[in-house]
Amino acid sequence: MRRILNFIDGDYRDSARHFDDINPATGEKVAIVSEAGEADVADAVAAARAAMNGPWGDSTVEDRAALLHKVADGVIARLDDFVAAEMADTGKPLMPTKMGEIPRAAEQFRTFAEVGRMTPLESFETRLPDGGRAMNVAERTPKGVVAAICPWNLPFILMTWKVAPALICGNAVVVKPSEETPATAALLGEVMKAAGIPKGVYNVVHGFGPGSAGAFLTAHPDVDAITFTGETRTGEAIMKAAAVGIRDISLELGGKNAGILFADCDFEAAIRTEAMAAFFNCGQICLGNERLYVERAIYDRTVEAMTKAAKSFAPGDPMDKATRLGPLSSHGHRDKVLGYFKAARDAGAEVHAGGVIPDMPAPFDGGAWVEPTVWTGLAQKSVPVQEEVFGPVTHIMPFDDADEAIALANDSPYGLAGTIWTKDMSRAHHVASRRRVGALWVNSWMIRDLRTPFGGMKASGIGREGGAASLHFYSEIRNICTRL
Ligand code: NAD
């Protein structure tokens, strides 16, 4: 059986305890994972600190950018290994993993290398009362040891989204991948080593949250900053841990995003895109839409078209190039999603598509599959319309004017993202600026330029990452004032 080990101080290391890695497409065990104990986590943090005190701490952004490009090359050179590892952990279909997710993760190393190299800092010349001058120069220094706690839905992308900017800023990282998806973070250790990243700069500890590697890492006093992507409730626990010792924190949390469709929109494009926003990655995308508010004149057409689109996302063998829908990430997560299917039925939803487990042939009959699901008729305040399902679901509701649509879309504890569909650009801008979310797409969805700021409002998070915002989080900017 394949083993997935911790990566500490430049080498792979086993632990006393282990847990199983399950492929959710089949339910089969695919690997045995080392669960880092408190001492392993302490060793990883110590290795990171030692790296900061060594030549890495003295490196320039040019040095680090060159290394990050080598890491990107190394990921692409081993594309098939990363694709196989990610698919075994998640059950994701082949094509989006091979053509999208893994190359995109490699691209993040290149982009942040260039963002780091090219982003200038301010300087001010100051006139002094005695007629002399002083020069103020802002300088960027690393935060130090960064803990990166990562989720399972886009494991390699969301992990490298943290690691690449952390490294270009000169930090050392300790990554805690999700217990559901440990493989690609571990494999990246080989690439880091081959690329010449010094030992201790990139470390990986496996395990769970409370009482395990996640909590050991966030509580460790020698961690300088914590970056977390995951559920809002976990974010609250991590924020408490970060308060001890006043460590900086970046939280990318849950969402309950909404799309707004006006009757003048390009209907075909809207439906094609909103179907992706609801069902792509089996609905396990923080930026996906689980709510659609539709101008009454096109409501019936929208329900019909989204129902047809849901049925076109048929689940199938992830290795088949035509498969668009994989399973949910685990049986535990499927139980949660099935709970929302039941809650929707109990609350009087009309189920136009899905709401059930599909019949899958062997060996997929043991997997965590669900059918893409379309609901109507739920009350705005009902649980399935308010809570994040994180599955392939959409609830469609009519509205009569823009004010009503904005109020309904904003009626959520979350504020991550959303979409607006209209040909009237003035209206689009007006609606966009009144939405309480961190990212809005007009006549589109999920165009993610890595240079743009990304993050949520309300319960969807604190802080921004992406482009210069990432540099801001992963560095301390200090001012050096010299009397000339
Ligand atoms: P999760 O919160 O259950 O777990 C995320 C990570 O935190 C895992 O590595 C887990 O082991 C660890 N963890 C759990 N409890 C911990 C604790 N007390 N201390 C330290 N670590 C702990 O999230 P998930 O289920 O893996 O991911 C799905 C969630 O992530 C959804 O809510 C989704 O919306 C959100 N998400 C948000 C974004 C974003 O950018 N805003 C992106 C992707 C996913």
Side-chain angles (χ1 to χ4, degrees):
M1 179 63 62
R2 196 158 62 90
R3 288 193 168 261
I4 298 176
L5 305 176
N6 303 300
F7 185 72
I8 298 173
D9 203 17
D11 279 311
Y12 287 94
R13 188 193 288 192
D14 201 357
S15 305
R17 291 160 62 118
H18 301 90
F19 60 94
D20 293 342
D21 187 16
I22 305 293
N23 180 342
T26 58
E28 286 162 5
K29 179 159 125 180
V30 288
I32 297 169
V33 189
S34 305
E35 183 184 349
E38 199 161 3
D40 298 316
V41 172
D43 284 353
V45 174
R49 177 62 61 199
M52 291 303 301
N53 292 336
W56 180 255
D58 202 32
S59 61
T60 66
V61 71
E62 293 285 328
D63 302 332
R64 297 190 295 268
L67 286 170
L68 291 201
H69 280 289
K70 283 190 185 168
V71 172
D73 294 342
V75 170
I76 294 302
R78 298 194 57 186
L79 180 65
D80 289 342
D81 295 342
F82 278 97
V83 170
E86 198 78 314
M87 287 181 68
D89 273 3
T90 61
K92 286 172 192 284
L94 175 66
M95 292 317 277
T97 312
K98 186 164 183 170
M99 306 310 289
E101 291 188 32
I102 304 298
R104 172 82 171 182
E107 191 56 33
Q108 296 191 133
F109 285 103
R110 296 194 201 288
T111 301
F112 283 108
E114 294 315 303
V115 168
R117 258 169 27 88
M118 302 307 289
T119 305
L121 282 167
E122 292 174 321
S123 64
F124 297 99
E125 192 180 22
T126 310
R127 172 69 71 190
L128 303 177
D130 64 4
R133 291 165 191 234
M135 181 61 78
N136 289 281
V137 178
E139 189 187 72
R140 180 175 284 131
T141 59
K143 280 256 161 69
V145 176
V146 173
I149 312 282
C150 307
W152 45 254
N153 60 322
L154 300 166
F156 198 48
I157 284 194
L158 292 178
M159 192 264 295
T160 50
W161 164 252
K162 300 177 182 305
V163 170
L167 295 196
I168 197 64
C169 292
N171 302 281
V173 296
V174 181
V175 171
K176 212 297 280 171
S178 168
E179 54 273 33
E180 310 284 357
T181 55
T184 47
L187 186 55
L188 186 63
E190 290 181 27
V191 170
M192 290 278 180
K193 204 169 174 171
I197 298 284
K199 64 180 191 154
V201 170
Y202 175 79
N203 305 275
V204 181
V205 291
H206 299 294
F208 303 82
S212 184
F216 299 148
L217 181 57
T218 52
H220 197 293
D222 209 23
V223 165
D224 297 299
I226 302 169
T227 170
F228 170 72
T229 300
E231 280 190 12
T232 295
R233 258 172 300 166
T234 313
E236 289 172 353
I238 288 179
M239 203 167 170
K240 284 184 191 154
V244 179
I246 316 293
R247 278 90 53 73
D248 204 356
I249 189 159
S250 170
L251 299 176
E252 311 264 3
L253 308 176
K256 184 73 181 178
N257 310 313
I260 299 177
L261 270 64
F262 288 96
D264 71 340
C265 71
D266 176 341
F267 188 76
E268 301 302 322
I271 296 300
R272 199 170 52 244
T273 311
E274 289 298 334
M276 290 292 281
F279 309 130
F280 183 68
N281 207 41
C282 206
Q284 301 164 116
I285 293 207
C286 57
L287 300 171
N289 283 342
E290 294 188 354
R291 301 179 291 151
L292 268 190
Y293 298 102
V294 180
E295 199 164 7
R296 199 172 296 277
I298 57 165
Y299 173 74
D300 290 340
R301 266 175 87 198
T302 302
V303 174
E304 195 182 316
M306 285 296 286
T307 301
K308 198 170 157 206
K311 289 178 179 163
S312 76
F313 272 79
D317 180 351
M319 286 307 291
D320 184 336
K321 285 185 179 166
T323 295
R324 297 176 78 194
L325 193 82
L328 290 169
S329 72
S330 67
H331 288 79
H333 184 51
R334 183 171 72 173
D335 289 345
K336 183 178 155 194
V337 172
L338 292 176
Y340 284 110
F341 285 1
K342 178 173 182 317
R345 282 194 306 272
D346 291 351
E350 190 174 338
V351 184
H352 299 266
V356 292
I357 295 173
D359 277 334
M360 297 297 288
F364 305 112
D365 47 350
W369 304 85
V370 291
E371 284 191 5
T373 298
V374 177
W375 297 315
T376 59
L378 287 167
Q380 171 67 18
K381 292 293 182 194
S382 66
V383 165
V385 177
Q386 289 291 322
E387 294 186 5
E388 181 186 47
V389 177
F390 221 51
V393 301
T394 186
H395 178 253
I396 311 175
M397 187 183 275
F399 69 81
D400 291 306
D401 61 38
D403 285 347
E404 186 190 5
I406 293 164
L408 287 167
N410 281 346
D411 176 24
S412 165
Y414 295 104
L416 190 54
T419 57
I420 298 162
W421 292 86
T422 175
K423 290 195 179 116
D424 179 341
M425 285 305 108
S426 169
R427 174 162 65 182
H429 193 86
H430 174 71
V431 174
S433 62
R434 289 174 64 200
R435 290 293 326 276
R436 297 278 298 154
V437 297
L440 266 163
W441 284 282
V442 176
N443 297 335
S444 58
W445 175 68
M446 266 282 268
I447 298 170
R448 285 281 301 114
D449 186 321
L450 298 169
R451 297 167 299 179
T452 59
F454 174 82
M457 297 169 74
K458 302 198 273 183
S460 291
I462 289 183
R464 295 290 177 271
E465 296 191 35
S470 289
L471 302 187
H472 209 79
F473 175 69
Y474 291 105
S475 38
E476 295 284 3
I477 296 177
R478 60 187 173 186
N479 190 63
I480 298 178
C481 180
T482 307
R483 185 180 177 121
L484 300 177

